[in-house]
């Protein structure tokens, strides 16, 4: 049986296999806000990091705060690219604003520097390890929320919007924004990235015995 036809053997593989980007989202949720918050608390608490450095920080935005974030993105992008170009990309920002919420993923740079100083033999690796840690939190949040029936898509409007977000939400000094996970109710079951072409395993996977 090939990997394409095999049934995932664990819930985590099933969730990973079914993960897609959903871009048409609304302001509904199949689970309570308290459960979303608990899921994200579990992810920040339990996701591993190199040397247990725990560099990742999350900010979760619901309601007016979520909408304010995407308003800041719109104003920042309009100022940067001008009205003519913004007319083409503005509607895309509106789809994110129409969703239920956003998770902001940050990496705490003072913690990175602290571990570089503490473990000097590995100092050159901690910035890369920080990015890897962030990525682990991002995919964990994505598949966990989708497993609960929420649609998600991952965006990267950093560092464009960083100064305004820092001021608006009181983001601590030294937190570096890495990604934004948009989530909400799925309208009409529209998939954003279903069926994307993947490289053949012969190019990406090897086994030695």
């Amino acid at each position: 049986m090939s990997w394409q036809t095999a049934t995932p053997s664990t819930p985590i593989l099933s969730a990973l296999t079914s993960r897609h980007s959903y871009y048409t989202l609304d302001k509904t949720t199949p689970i309570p806000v308290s459960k979303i918050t608990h899921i994200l608390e579990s992810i920040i608490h339990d996701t591993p990091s190199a040397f247990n450095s725990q560099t990742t920080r999350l900010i979760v935005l619901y309601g007016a705060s979520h909408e304010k974030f995407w308003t800041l993105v719109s104003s920042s992008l309009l100022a940067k690219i001008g009205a003519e170009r913004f007319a083409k990309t503005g509607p895309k920002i509106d789809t994110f604003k129409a969703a239920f919420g956003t998770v902001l993923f940050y990496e705490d740079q003072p913690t990175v520097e602290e571990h570089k100083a503490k473990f000097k033999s590995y100092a050159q690796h901690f910035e890369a390890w920080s990015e890897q840690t962030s990525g682990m939190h991002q995919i964990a949040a994505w598949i966990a929320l989708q497993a609960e029936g929420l649609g998600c898509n991952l965006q990267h409007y950093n560092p464009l919007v960083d100064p305004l977000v820092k001021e608006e939400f009181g983001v601590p000094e030294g937190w570096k924004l890495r990604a934004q996970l948009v989530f909400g109710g799925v309208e009409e079951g529209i998939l954003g990235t279903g069926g994307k072409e993947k490289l053949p395993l012969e190019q990406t996977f090897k086994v030695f015995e």
Side-chain angles (χ1 to χ4, degrees), residues 167-186:
E167 180 179 355
E168 176 68 26
F169 297 108
V171 179
E173 192 70 34
W175 286 24
K176 184 178 181 181
L177 185 59
R178 307 313 299 136
Q180 305 88 50
L181 185 69
V182 185
F183 61 90
V186 180

Side-chain angles (χ1 to χ4, degrees), residues 20-29 66 70 92 94-102 142 146 149-155 181-192:
H20 295 293
S21 291
Y22 290 78
Y23 292 107
T24 305
L25 302 173
D26 61 29
K27 296 186 183 301
T28 64
T29 172
H66 157 78
W70 291 106
K92 181 179 180 181
D94 290 340
T95 66
F96 306 144
K97 189 175 181 178
F100 187 82
T102 304
W142 193 338
Q146 184 166 308
L150 287 156
C152 304
N153 62 76
L154 192 68
Q155 301 302 317
L181 185 69
V182 185
F183 61 90
V186 180
E187 293 183 355
E188 303 173 3
I190 299 174
L191 293 179

